[in-house]
Amino acid sequence: MEENIIEVENLTKIYENGNVLAVDNIDLHIKQGEIFALLGPNGAGKTTTISMLATLLSNTAGQAIVNGYDIKKHPDKVRKSIGIVFQEPSLDGDMKGIENLEIHAILYGMPKKIRNAKIKEVLKLVDLEDKAEIFVRNYSGGMKRRLEIARGLLHEPKILFLDEPTLGLDPQTRRKIWEKIKELNKGESKITILITTHYMEEADELADRICIMDHGKIIALDTSKNLKKQLSGDVIDIEFDKIEDTSLLPSLISQLKEIPGIKHISLGDSKNNQEEIPLNLPKNIPNIDPNVIKARMQEMMQDPKKLLMAWKNFPMSQQMFQDAPLEMKKKIANMFNDDLIKDIPENIREVIINIKNGVFEDDNSREISKISISCEHGGKQLPLIMQNIDQKKIIIKNIYMHQPTLEDVFLHYVGTKIREETSDRTKDIKKRIQMRQLTR
Amino acid sequence: MSDLNLKHIGINYPAVWILTKREVIAFWRDKARIISSFAQAILFLLVFGYSLGQNTFPPGFNYKAYLASGIGALTILFTGIFGGMGLMRDKMFGFMKELIVAPVSRQTLMIGRTLGIAIQTVIQVLIILTLGIAFGFLGYNPDLFLRILIIIPIALAASMGIVGIGLIIGTKIRNFQSFGLIQTFIVMPMFWLSGTILPITNDSILYPIYQYNPFSYCVDLFRSVLIGINNFDIWLDILVMSAFAIGLILLGAISFNKMDVS
Ligand SMILES: Nc1ncnc2c1ncn2[C@@H]1O[C@H](COP(=O)(O)OP(=O)(O)OP(=O)(O)O)[C@@H](O)[C@H]1O
Ligand SMILES: [Mg+2]
């Protein structure tokens, strides 16, 4: 019988300061040697869950056993059993790569004899041997992430927590890190990995089991295959041309729902294509190859300082930011720490600060021009769907029918929730803002 | 993000050692900071040493020695407070999370940091006193060497208290913007109102503040050991300074224990 290395029961966390129920009575049983993914949108409670399991945060209720130790009674033993890569960077930039590892090794009580050999070993694992003597502040984002993974593994933990390990990395680097993660999970010393992510492909690619979380609750938990099986049938993605009358879409959806065989309709983009930067180019730029601009943007998305320069020198780029999709704004907001924020031009700063504080309008409601329909037999329902759309005189740009993917599963669970609870959610956000103001 | 503390596991000495070493290495690598701290000391020595003629002071009062020893003591204040506040950097850049999640107690983390800064302080004090000697401000007595040796433990102890202040501030503030405030409202008053550079005599209206500034006693002890000039009784100096150091380091520890990293 397989042993469970993490046993979580009724785990709950309420943040007193914001009065937020971040984790709501969850149960988890993670097997020895398994890669387990926590998948969920922003604010789902993934980081909070990991923080409690890593004994960084006290739990409000419930209990958890990690590697046989209770998180409340033996936090020190728990800490020695785990390695953790935080969502935010946590390296000392003023030290060399190897020094970061040395400090870690000594903090974790590794004897001198094995220390150096082990440091070499983990550096090799993440391909950073030749960069060990370089100051971490000069590392690229991907190198930093790899060094953090190496550091998390240094003291030979039984369990590795990876909190969004590939956030903000380019596709090649992401893939490389996936390879490393898979490597760790091979062989006889199979290390158990708990990974959080909002990239579906990541969960699909790596995880033995996937747990979808939203609003602090577990909504679904199974292997990727089984999750997809639940959505048997076909998925039809329909992309519309710009819809002028915004009331058309909701009434269309309620009509479509009446069609027999249609199980579920969700709004938005099921192809969560994170790798391409979406961009709305202003119409009146003369003689500049859009590809050049795209390349420049790509560059700027790596370095907040370059973005700042652009905003300062080209007012056009400020407009581009304002027009950018929320996803991209969020990405940009994440690049700025407190120190850099003050250099941002004022009108943009406000938007970024709001996003950082979790205050933003989902532009879904405004800009949705896609729906994703899951139905029993695409071939049978498609004509009826087309007929309905035609009656409304909505112009279709693209139709795509396919087998359900993990994205569809995610939308099925999370997307519906967001839609059905829209009013609650806005209330929720308002309440949080009020709370924030009160606690200040 | 963190509100848990491993109180029961005591102090991990190898961890203290590596954290101390980290502080000292960081100090050594930050050449700009070292240079500016010495340039400032030299500037003070030259400007104050030569702008006030010997006639300004009562006969027999060796102002140059007074000044050089005061600036030595001043180093304790500047290095200690800004060194302690340096933990804010670790908070901002996230390294504090790595420290907090390690299987060591917060006392371990705090002692390592405090010791590291105290050592930086002592190194700087020694260099500045050497400068004072090189400028001829401190005379060339052979027993000066012995006096400087006694200064080392005093500087260490005083430094602990001052670092405590820095830690308390560093755990509370969240960004560099507050640096100016701290500078204006804590560091500068403590500096100017402790008789480091200009004596504050007992007929001055500032004297009561001088008297209630704990740092005055550190400066006084420092000076009485180094050049034999003192304002307060040496035992009072020792008493006040020890109470100050112990009290603040405890407060620093409490504040460090409660620190929330997010
Ligand atoms: N220190 C805190 N104080 C108050 N509320 C908090 C704190 N940290 C997180 N929260 C709230 O708890 C909820 C869960 O946050 P958490 O960081 O666990 O989400 P997450 O799933 O990791 O999201 P993300 O994908 O953005 O990292 C959010 O509503 C968040 O606003
Ligand atoms: Mg998170």
Side-chain angles (χ1 to χ4, degrees):
Chain A
M1 216 191 86
E2 268 176 305
E3 284 277 300
N4 284 338
I5 195 159
I6 298 181
E7 288 277 8
V8 173
E9 261 158 37
N10 306 330
L11 195 66
T12 300
K13 176 73 191 180
I14 297 173
Y15 285 108
E16 304 287 348
N17 54 351
N19 208 1
V20 178
L21 176 57
V23 174
D24 188 1
N25 209 349
I26 63 168
D27 288 353
L28 286 176
H29 308 279
I30 300 175
K31 292 184 210 119
Q32 166 95 54
E34 166 171 57
I35 301 187
F36 189 94
L38 280 180
L39 186 63
N42 290 115
K46 305 178 297 288
T47 301
T48 307
T49 305
I50 285 202
S51 303
M52 285 189 285
L53 294 181
T55 78
L56 270 172
L57 203 59
S58 63
N59 50 330
T60 313
Q63 57 171 348
I65 310 285
V66 175
N67 193 28
Y69 304 111
D70 188 300
I71 53 167
K72 273 217 164 115
K73 291 186 198 122
H74 302 287
D76 51 321
K77 299 236 172 66
V78 172
R79 287 178 186 205
K80 283 200 174 173
S81 321
I82 62 164
I84 182 163
V85 173
F86 296 101
Q87 184 171 345
E88 281 104 33
S90 64
L91 293 164
D92 183 354
D94 293 337
M95 292 276 151
K96 297 169 182 165
I98 195 164
E99 290 168 339
N100 269 279
L101 296 180
E102 267 164 14
I103 295 173
H104 183 90
I106 294 171
L107 287 176
Y108 281 75
M110 292 174 70
K112 196 169 184 168
K113 271 183 285 176
I114 61 169
R115 207 153 66 209
N116 291 338
K118 193 70 200 172
I119 287 177
K120 272 210 189 96
E121 188 188 317
V122 292
L123 278 172
K124 187 157 178 233
L125 180 78
V126 297
D127 302 321
L128 283 176
E129 300 139 289
D130 49 338
K131 301 282 194 278
E133 295 293 335
I134 295 179
F135 283 101
V136 169
R137 60 169 173 265
N138 298 330
Y139 276 28
S140 73
M143 285 159 67
K144 282 184 189 155
R145 223 51 186 143
R146 266 149 48 210
L147 185 66
E148 286 182 313
I149 293 175
R151 188 178 67 182
L153 291 169
L154 189 56
H155 55 285
E156 301 187 322
K158 290 277 191 320
I159 306 159
L160 186 62
F161 292 144
L162 300 171
D163 199 355
E164 306 199 12
T166 64
L167 190 73
L169 301 181
D170 66 51
Q172 291 98 307
T173 315
R174 179 127 51 101
R175 212 149 265 291
K176 231 191 230 166
I177 288 185
W178 289 353
E179 292 313 316
K180 296 299 166 200
I181 294 174
K182 282 189 202 158
E183 227 167 89
L184 293 175
N185 192 247
K186 272 188 209 141
E188 75 270 22
S189 61
K190 257 186 153 202
I191 179 166
T192 309
I193 296 174
L194 175 57
I195 180 173
T196 82
T197 179
H198 22 223
Y199 297 129
M200 320 285 155
E201 333 85 272
E202 187 158 285
D204 211 359
E205 170 94 20
L206 293 173
D208 296 312
R209 284 193 301 157
I210 297 170
C211 169
I212 299 182
M213 254 184 115
D214 197 16
H215 297 306
K217 291 197 189 73
I218 293 176
I219 322 184
L221 198 167
D222 213 324
T223 60
S224 165
K225 213 169 127 198
N226 286 343
L227 284 173
K228 287 179 207 160
K229 235 189 241 162
Q230 292 177 14
L231 290 193
S232 60
D234 296 305
V235 175
I236 305 174
D237 290 337
I238 305 179
E239 196 180 340
F240 302 113
D241 229 15
K242 216 171 178 75
I243 302 174
E244 299 298 337
D245 182 357
T246 45
S247 66
L248 277 180
L249 206 51
S251 72
L252 171 68
I253 287 171
S254 50
Q255 275 180 22
L256 291 181
K257 274 189 175 163
E258 303 298 314
I259 299 173
I262 288 195
K263 291 190 293 194
H264 171 76
I265 303 176
S266 46
L267 289 173
D269 196 349
S270 84
K271 286 249 155 354
N272 199 337
N273 199 347
Q274 307 275 2
E275 287 169 16
E276 196 176 329
I277 297 176
L279 104 161
N280 307 337
L281 286 178
K283 297 210 170 55
N284 50 354
I285 359 169
N287 296 335
I288 304 178
D289 181 358
N291 286 327
V292 173
I293 298 185
K294 274 198 181 169
R296 294 280 303 160
M297 296 276 296
Q298 203 108 33
E299 208 177 290
M300 283 192 283
M301 291 297 289
Q302 311 292 334
D303 186 355
K305 297 226 169 76
K306 285 191 183 140
L307 258 175
L308 283 177
M309 291 277 287
W311 284 335
K312 272 204 190 103
N313 300 326
F314 309 103
M316 190 182 89
S317 64
Q318 295 193 12
Q319 196 49 48
M320 280 168 76
F321 171 81
Q322 302 286 6
D323 294 342
L326 183 65
E327 207 46 49
M328 185 164 168
K329 285 183 183 161
K330 279 189 197 162
K331 220 182 212 170
I332 292 178
N334 280 334
M335 299 191 327
F336 289 92
N337 57 26
D338 289 353
D339 202 21
L340 283 170
I341 275 186
K342 62 177 190 322
D343 297 331
I344 303 176
E346 222 165 274
N347 47 342
I348 293 185
R349 194 186 327 152
E350 209 168 284
V351 179
I352 287 190
I353 289 175
N354 280 342
I355 289 178
K356 280 199 164 262
N357 290 336
V359 187
F360 45 77
E361 282 173 43
D362 266 328
D363 46 14
N364 281 4
S365 49
R366 235 179 336 115
E367 282 185 10
I368 283 208
S369 57
K370 277 184 194 169
I371 56 174
S372 173
I373 304 168
S374 64
C375 50
E376 273 159 19
H377 295 286
K380 274 190 199 154
Q381 278 97 32
L382 190 57
L384 289 167
I385 293 173
M386 298 296 289
Q387 210 176 347
N388 271 296
I389 295 176
D390 220 36
Q391 277 168 11
K392 296 251 174 235
K393 301 215 169 21
I394 299 175
I395 302 165
I396 293 173
K397 212 172 169 184
N398 236 324
I399 292 196
Y400 177 52
M401 190 162 90
H402 55 96
Q403 297 283 300
T405 62
L406 192 58
E407 277 114 68
D408 298 312
V409 177
F410 187 80
L411 263 181
H412 174 77
Y413 286 112
V414 178
T416 45
K417 285 239 149 175
I418 291 175
R419 195 160 50 90
E420 280 160 11
E421 289 174 6
T422 307
S423 54
D424 278 357
R425 238 173 98 87
T426 30
K427 252 190 235 152
D428 215 277
I429 290 173
K430 273 190 195 137
K431 199 174 110 200
R432 258 180 232 162
I433 300 167
Q434 281 168 354
M435 284 291 181
R436 279 219 182 85
Q437 284 162 347
L438 285 180
T439 47
R440 252 181 208 149
Chain B
M1 206 198 75
S2 166
D3 56 1
L4 279 184
N5 183 13
L6 311 181
K7 284 213 181 78
H8 60 285
I9 58 175
I11 294 165
N12 175 333
Y13 292 98
V16 167
W17 173 80
I18 190 69
L19 293 171
T20 304
K21 188 172 154 192
R22 171 174 175 256
E23 289 294 333
V24 176
I25 290 178
F27 164 73
W28 180 241
R29 284 184 182 155
D30 195 352
K31 295 286 187 297
R33 203 179 77 192
I34 300 181
I35 289 169
S36 79
S37 112
F38 292 138
Q40 187 185 40
I42 293 173
L43 193 70
F44 280 159
L45 283 174
L46 293 181
V47 170
F48 287 96
Y50 292 107
S51 59
L52 301 172
Q54 191 49 260
N55 295 341
T56 325
F57 300 99
F61 181 81
N62 183 351
Y63 178 66
K64 288 200 169 99
Y66 181 94
L67 176 70
S69 54
I71 288 171
L74 181 61
T75 314
I76 302 176
L77 182 69
F78 284 178
T79 315
I81 291 199
F82 291 114
M85 281 169 71
L87 86 91
M88 194 195 65
R89 253 183 84 77
D90 283 347
K91 267 191 344 189
M92 277 180 57
F93 293 103
F95 189 68
M96 189 56 84
K97 277 193 192 154
E98 152 77 356
L99 295 176
I100 294 285
V101 80
V104 297
S105 59
R106 294 235 179 144
Q107 293 94 290
T108 303
L109 301 180
M110 196 195 89
I111 294 171
R113 187 176 292 269
T114 308
L115 267 182
I117 300 166
I119 290 172
Q120 293 174 18
T121 305
V122 170
I123 296 172
Q124 293 193 71
V125 167
L126 291 180
I127 297 180
I128 285 172
L129 292 182
T130 313
L131 281 175
I133 295 170
F135 281 26
F137 281 24
L138 285 167
Y140 303 101
N141 251 331
D143 73 342
L144 193 60
F145 182 68
L146 183 69
R147 287 164 181 262
I148 289 178
L149 279 185
I150 305 175
I151 281 294
I152 293 177
I154 295 176
L156 269 176
S159 175
M160 299 274 178
I162 301 287
V163 174
I165 300 180
L167 289 179
I168 296 169
I169 300 167
T171 52
K172 301 269 186 282
I173 60 176
R174 290 197 179 273
N175 52 41
F176 285 114
Q177 267 113 13
S178 326
F179 260 77
L181 278 177
I182 305 297
Q183 172 95 354
T184 314
F185 288 103
I186 298 183
V187 181
M188 286 299 146
M190 276 181 89
F191 158 39
W192 289 109
L193 297 170
S194 57
T196 34
I197 286 192
L198 291 170
I200 296 175
T201 48
N202 52 14
D203 54 352
S204 152
I205 55 163
L206 294 177
Y207 192 78
I209 308 180
Y210 169 68
Q211 219 177 359
Y212 284 105
N213 178 358
F215 190 59
S216 308
Y217 296 83
C218 302
V219 177
D220 200 58
L221 180 61
F222 201 91
R223 194 171 272 141
S224 70
V225 169
L226 205 60
I227 55 171
I229 299 181
N230 55 325
N231 235 333
F232 309 113
D233 187 73
I234 188 161
W235 292 108
L236 182 65
D237 283 342
I238 293 175
L239 187 74
V240 173
M241 198 192 82
S242 319
F244 168 69
I246 293 170
L248 276 168
I249 207 67
L250 286 179
L251 286 178
I254 292 172
S255 152
F256 200 89
N257 273 338
K258 286 196 186 146
M259 176 176 54
D260 192 9
V261 183
S262 52

